[in-house]
Amino acid sequence: MATSSEVLAILAQRRSYGLKEVSPEPIERSAIELILQAATLAPSHGVTEPWRFVVYTGDARAELGAALVAAAQGDPFQEAKQRDKVWMAPVWIALGMQPQPKNPEWEEVAAVAMAVQNAHIMAAQLGLAAKWSSGAIGTHELVAKTVGFEAPTKLLGFLYVGKPAVTPKPLARADWQSKTTWKE
């Protein structure tokens, strides 16, 4: 079992990489499988496991790119940006949340967020670059339909994954104590 210092070191190496900081070079499927396995170990209230994933690699990214272009709804700048971005990272994982009526929606979204954090940590542990990307186009109804998420399942964005093309900058965080109040 890892020591607490080893766990903190793993958490400290996790970064969010911009698309220009990711190599388009393919990565092994086994790495993505480990990332998804880690994601599914996240907690969820009542063990609802609301996370849903659709993985895009290789030429399948063209379908995703077309959906993103359609979601740009005629904005030439956004269309060009969306058309090109799917080729900048070799793996795009659609992040879905299938809510369960017994839980408040925020709990199901939180469970998916924890799953994505687990995935992101595993990617970092494997020496890979990743980032959760969302926004109006990345979560648009047209894109959700393309990836196969229909109501009540919601598209919460994408985790893109690849090899880092840059050396990550040191993580700058405020000391945890500056954001903590003790009541004893």
Side-chain angles (χ1 to χ4, degrees):
M1 181 169 266
T3 67
S4 56
S5 294
E6 290 169 331
V7 172
L8 284 173
I10 291 167
L11 293 172
Q13 74 183 27
R14 190 225 46 88
R15 298 286 187 284
S16 290
Y17 288 76
L19 277 171
K20 292 178 182 174
E21 300 172 322
V22 177
S23 168
E25 175 186 352
I27 58 177
E28 296 202 17
R29 181 182 175 125
S30 60
I32 300 306
E33 290 172 353
L34 282 171
I35 289 168
L36 293 170
Q37 183 180 359
T40 63
L41 295 174
S44 60
H45 184 183
V47 195
T48 59
E49 301 180 46
W51 42 80
R52 298 295 182 270
F53 308 111
V54 179
V55 181
Y56 286 86
T57 63
D59 292 339
R61 291 175 292 166
E63 176 188 23
L64 178 58
L68 292 168
V69 168
Q73 299 180 335
D75 178 333
F77 172 77
Q78 283 298 328
E79 285 179 350
K81 182 178 174 183
Q82 300 306 319
R83 183 178 297 108
D84 296 338
K85 82 180 200 178
V86 295
W87 305 109
M88 296 173 77
V91 178
W92 289 77
I93 304 171
L95 307 170
M97 184 272 300
Q98 185 173 336
Q100 300 299 314
K102 70 179 189 174
N103 287 345
E105 185 174 288
W106 77 264
E107 288 184 0
E108 304 291 73
V109 171
V112 174
M114 288 185 275
V116 175
Q117 175 71 355
N118 281 5
H120 210 168
I121 291 167
M122 180 57 79
Q125 180 62 17
L126 294 170
L128 298 172
K131 183 177 179 180
W132 183 348
S133 176
S134 59
I137 293 175
T139 59
H140 194 280
E141 183 180 317
L142 292 171
V143 180
K145 188 172 184 176
T146 298
V147 302
F149 295 157
E150 301 216 16
T153 302
K154 293 184 179 182
L155 176 60
L156 301 180
F158 292 85
L159 182 72
Y160 59 78
V161 185
K163 293 180 181 176
V166 298
T167 301
K169 296 175 186 169
L171 186 62
R173 299 280 183 178
D175 183 70
W176 67 269
Q177 294 169 334
S178 69
K179 299 186 182 289
T180 305
T181 302
W182 293 83
K183 304 251 182 179
E184 299 184 271

